[in-house]
Amino acid sequence: MASTPSAKPGRILAKAMSNRLGHDGPDDCITFIRCNGREFHIEMSPFYICHSPAVASRYRKFIAAVRDECKIDTDEGEHPEDMIDDFHAWLINAFEPVFLEVAPDIPPSFDPAKIATGEAHPLLSEYFFPEEYRCRLEVENDKAFPILMRDEESRWVPALNDIEPEFAQQLGQYVKFFRPLELEVSFEKPDYALSKTPTRVLVELEDSGHKTLCFLKTFALGDYLGLEQELEAHLRILKSSLAHDARIARLRGVVAVEEDSRILGLLLTYIDRRRENGGLLFEDRLLHTPIPLRQRWARQIQETVEQLHSAGLVWGDAKAENVMIDKNNDAWLIDFGGGYTEGWVDEDKIGTIEGDLQGVAKIAEHLSNEEYEPYTESDDWEEDV
């Protein structure tokens, strides 16, 4: 069994987390890199790439791949994801001197070995509000010069979306609001502490001393409409007569910063996913899944949607991607923020019971497709009696 990596001084464990285009010009980009628990915001622009045809070409391909346009010629077999990964690897290598200078050690909350032994208990605030450093990439004659802009404030803006204070008060009657420093991060693997954005947190929901594992759902900066739509749907669920044991990912709490109306994310029912298909119903994940098991899921989805309708609620964006399968082979409904996905529900039936029924019928058809090479019999599962 592989051992958990230790946090040795001078060890660089860096990963690009995201890219943001057009901060000053259409071909400018900021790449956000997490290294040893710090955030580095590296600004790039063609303006700073001088007399460097090789790097300029690499950068153009990277920008096109991030836009997913790829209008430039690429080598045979080269894909956008590969171009992005290759550029990130090159960028991390170029900035290694900066990383070694300001982030030579790994703080305990980002140290996989200390997390694995329980010596460190990382908090959500440490991951979403880390130390930040603003940098710039300059290139001349195809040689990279990593620049640390010590006195410059970061251009990174936390992904916080505002909701109306009155709406926050309504929610507060049904669920608690938590600050990021009140939530302990729980990674599936300690190694994820170095490179993954947290999605699992431990929270004391009932003031009982017992912590519950919840799924953390965040929203992109500016997606306040998506946040409000989902919160409004969950508020209707909380107010309804829907049985608590219905298999839906319920709202358990809200993560807010400073004021309750500035929302970082939602705490939802944590679904321990089925390992065999990653808990998902995509076509390739259904290969070799027994037909009786898929029929069980179709029945459960239909039953849960009927429960929603009996309580005067609708699912909304009914599709296979909004179903999660847990380790007990039970189907759960997720994502109540509404929306529309072509091919599952007709556009004129969005947000209606009729639309839900249409989506459920198509999910059942999707699950019954025999092209997924199902086994006729399986020793791994049998229907409960």
Side-chain angles (χ1 to χ4, degrees), residues 143-162:
K143 181 179 179 180
F145 294 91
I147 307 297
L148 175 62
M149 298 187 286
R150 294 184 180 276
D151 299 325
E152 297 287 340
E153 291 187 4
S154 171
R155 296 191 179 196
W156 181 76
V157 178
L160 303 175
N161 291 290
D162 293 335

Side-chain angles (χ1 to χ4, degrees), residues 13 82 96 100 111 153 180 182 204 269 275 316 347 358:
L13 295 165
D82 297 328
E96 185 169 324
L100 283 169
D111 186 337
E153 291 187 4
E182 297 179 274
E204 188 175 336
T269 304
R275 302 304 176 192
E347 196 167 0
Q358 183 182 42

Side-chain angles (χ1 to χ4, degrees), residues 26-47:
D27 293 325
D28 294 349
C29 180
I30 300 178
T31 292
F32 299 86
I33 292 177
R34 175 173 291 167
C35 178
N36 292 359
R38 287 81 164 183
E39 291 273 356
F40 293 84
H41 309 156
I42 301 176
E43 301 177 9
M44 297 173 287
S45 170
F47 180 78

Side-chain angles (χ1 to χ4, degrees), residues 219-337:
F219 294 78
L221 180 66
D223 188 18
Y224 57 89
L225 289 177
L227 171 64
E228 280 204 348
Q229 287 175 352
E230 183 140 354
L231 281 173
E232 286 171 354
H234 279 291
L235 185 57
R236 289 193 294 271
I237 291 172
L238 291 167
K239 291 179 176 180
S240 74
S241 59
L242 188 66
H244 194 74
D245 59 357
R247 285 184 292 270
I248 63 172
R250 295 174 181 271
L251 182 67
R252 308 300 305 277
V254 179
V255 186
V257 176
E258 297 176 6
E259 300 175 0
D260 288 348
S261 57
R262 300 189 69 205
I263 307 302
L264 175 65
L266 309 182
L267 300 176
L268 303 171
T269 304
Y270 181 77
I271 302 168
D272 196 353
R273 296 182 297 176
R274 182 177 189 263
R275 302 304 176 192
E276 289 80 357
N277 66 332
L280 304 174
L281 299 186
F282 297 127
E283 287 86 347
D284 59 336
R285 301 299 181 95
L286 291 175
L287 291 173
H288 309 308
T289 303
I291 287 179
L293 181 52
R294 289 191 251 146
Q295 290 173 337
R296 168 192 172 105
W297 297 339
R299 288 197 306 272
Q300 289 182 333
I301 294 165
Q302 181 177 356
E303 290 167 358
T304 305
V305 170
E306 288 174 355
Q307 287 180 284
L308 282 170
H309 293 171
S310 296
L313 305 168
V314 295
W315 183 9
D317 193 9
K319 59 182 178 179
E321 289 88 341
N322 284 341
V323 176
M324 189 74 71
I325 308 300
D326 71 12
K327 64 180 182 180
N328 297 320
N329 284 319
D330 289 323
W332 292 69
L333 306 190
I334 64 174
D335 195 348
F336 293 87

Side-chain angles (χ1 to χ4, degrees), residues 19 61-62 65-66 79-89:
N19 304 286
K61 288 184 178 183
F62 165 71
V66 172
H79 299 288
E81 295 83 358
D82 297 328
M83 287 187 283
I84 292 172
D85 290 344
D86 289 346
F87 187 86
H88 284 162

